[in-house]
Amino acid sequence: METAAGDRPSATYDLIGIGYSDIRRPDPRLHALIGQALGSVHTVLNIGAGTGSYEPEDADVTAVDPSQVMLDQHPGTKKVKAGAEALPFADGFLDAAMAIMTVHHWPDLHRGLAELRRVARKQVVFTWDPTHRPELWLLEEYLPEIREMDHARFTPVTEVADALDAHTVTPFPIPHDFTDGFQCAYWRRPECYLDPVIRQASSTFAQLPPSVVEPAIARLRADLASRTWHRRHAELMDQQSMDYGYRLVIAGG
């Protein structure tokens, strides 16, 4: 089943979607946490589904995404091209709705979250809290433009939790060998940010002009070559994981 409904701008993921699955590989530790939060559900709606990361293996999943490029890479058979703010499903139609690193892309966050509550009895949302400290060193030292972009589009987790009437908010510290290549994944592997393929799989990098990104990456490359970065961040190399503000919000039941 492949349906078009409520088309909305999806230029960012139409751009970065090609090859996205090569870099954004689901991390088993985050997968386990999301699976535990979903519990024993039979029907699941995955909003902003992308390539199907973190979906439960033993449930009937319907993927929703506004980007056809992303839907084309999704392995499932139930796919709907739509935005979160207008879900073409009846009230209480599904056991659960999941939204993994997507709510910051929604034009109307509160309307989208209300739709999750309308169509599903349980809601599981993974997002980032812009009020959390510390921030990733990349933002502080090389690309404050990413900070400006992220703070403009991410909503504080307390507001997301309130909108969902959530009963649980669980921190997820990012492991040093995290396999899903979103922005904070390489906090202990700075050389990875030098790879344009890795940067292309991140929506923040993809939306910044080369005139901003390339000089910053050149400074990072020089700091790595001179070992300046390693001297500045020696304490990170002993850490197995870092809490950079990623949270799993669980509501309903």
Side-chain angles (χ1 to χ4, degrees), residues 121-240:
R121 291 177 286 280
K122 175 183 284 189
Q123 302 84 39
V124 175
V125 172
F126 185 67
T127 187
W128 175 73
D129 188 356
T131 68
H132 180 83
R133 297 297 180 273
E135 291 184 308
L136 178 66
W137 52 263
L138 182 73
L139 281 60
E140 296 180 356
E141 299 168 19
Y142 298 95
L143 282 164
E145 294 85 358
I146 289 181
R147 177 197 287 129
E148 293 178 19
M149 182 185 300
D150 282 351
H151 281 238
R153 63 185 186 152
F154 278 91
T155 300
V157 165
T158 53
E159 187 174 334
V160 174
D162 288 346
L164 286 173
D165 193 22
H167 54 73
T168 305
V169 177
T170 302
F172 181 74
I174 304 297
H176 73 92
D177 55 353
F178 195 61
T179 63
D180 193 343
F182 56 73
Q183 187 174 279
C184 272
Y186 308 106
W187 60 268
R188 213 181 86 173
R189 295 170 286 169
E191 66 282 353
C192 292
Y193 293 111
L194 305 181
D195 187 339
V197 176
I198 286 176
R199 296 198 305 271
Q200 185 66 20
S202 168
S203 63
T204 44
F205 276 111
Q207 292 180 77
L208 289 173
S211 60
V212 170
V213 174
E214 290 175 2
I217 296 302
R219 292 197 305 273
L220 175 58
R221 181 178 289 106
D223 285 350
L224 290 174
S226 67
R227 306 290 293 180
T228 299
W229 184 94
H230 300 83
R231 290 190 293 271
R232 188 185 300 146
H233 297 291
E235 75 286 352
L236 290 182
M237 306 312 290
D238 295 324
Q239 302 298 319
Q240 296 302 305

Side-chain angles (χ1 to χ4, degrees), residues 71-113:
L71 281 178
D72 287 345
Q73 296 183 73
H74 192 283
T77 57
K78 295 182 178 180
K79 298 187 276 190
V80 178
K81 186 179 180 183
E85 299 84 358
L87 297 173
F89 304 99
D91 295 0
F93 183 68
L94 300 121
D95 294 334
M98 58 187 288
I100 310 303
M101 287 302 290
T102 182
V103 299
H104 56 290
H105 292 299
W106 300 355
D108 189 332
L109 173 73
H110 287 272
R111 183 178 172 187
L113 295 176

